[in-house]
Amino acid sequence: MNCDDSLVVANCLLVLCNRLTMMIGRQIERQLEVFKVEGGFTEGLTAERLAYRKQQSVSADAPVCPLCGKPMIKRVAKKGINSGKEFWSCSDYPQCNGTRRI
Ligand SMILES: [Zn+2]
């Protein structure tokens, strides 16, 4: 390999690195656009899990929400004077704050 060949090879490598950097940059920009519209992978998984949990926890004897009419889910109060006690909560929570005593 003479001096000219080395220069050509070095130049080719530089061009290749530059192209790859540009391609990766464009790919990241495209993924960012998709992320803005559809949300991230973890976000999608959380939405699926919450929908499944909601579907599982709506029992046949569940009353309907006094505010919006959707089925209610049995929950346990985590704080306040009713802490530890069960109550009915709207399945549309947090969009709806409807509750009923059990
Ligand atoms: Zn409701």
Side-chain angles (χ1 to χ4, degrees):
M1 193 183 277
N2 64 37
C3 184
D4 286 347
D5 287 342
S6 299
L7 283 175
V8 169
V9 168
N11 199 31
C12 278
L13 284 174
L14 283 174
V15 169
L16 190 66
C17 287
N18 200 24
R19 288 237 172 121
L20 284 172
T21 305
M22 276 172 53
M23 283 169 69
I24 290 170
R26 259 186 258 139
Q27 180 75 16
I28 289 171
E29 278 172 24
R30 228 175 288 140
Q31 281 184 337
L32 186 63
E33 289 304 312
V34 171
F35 179 79
K36 282 183 198 168
V37 177
E38 297 175 12
F41 180 71
T42 308
E43 214 172 324
L45 284 180
T46 303
E48 283 294 318
R49 182 172 52 81
L50 290 177
Y52 180 76
R53 190 193 282 173
K54 193 178 280 186
Q55 181 198 336
Q56 290 297 299
S57 55
V58 173
S59 53
D61 64 333
V64 294
C65 175
L67 299 181
C68 70
K70 288 186 177 142
M72 301 194 86
I73 295 170
K74 218 179 255 188
R75 293 185 198 274
V76 177
K78 286 179 185 159
K79 52 189 174 185
I81 52 168
N82 293 316
S83 181
K85 290 181 188 164
E86 286 190 321
F87 68 102
W88 291 107
S89 165
C90 182
S91 60
D92 203 25
Y93 178 84
Q95 276 72 43
C96 176
N97 284 320
T99 59
R100 277 180 193 273
R101 287 184 180 189
I102 289 182

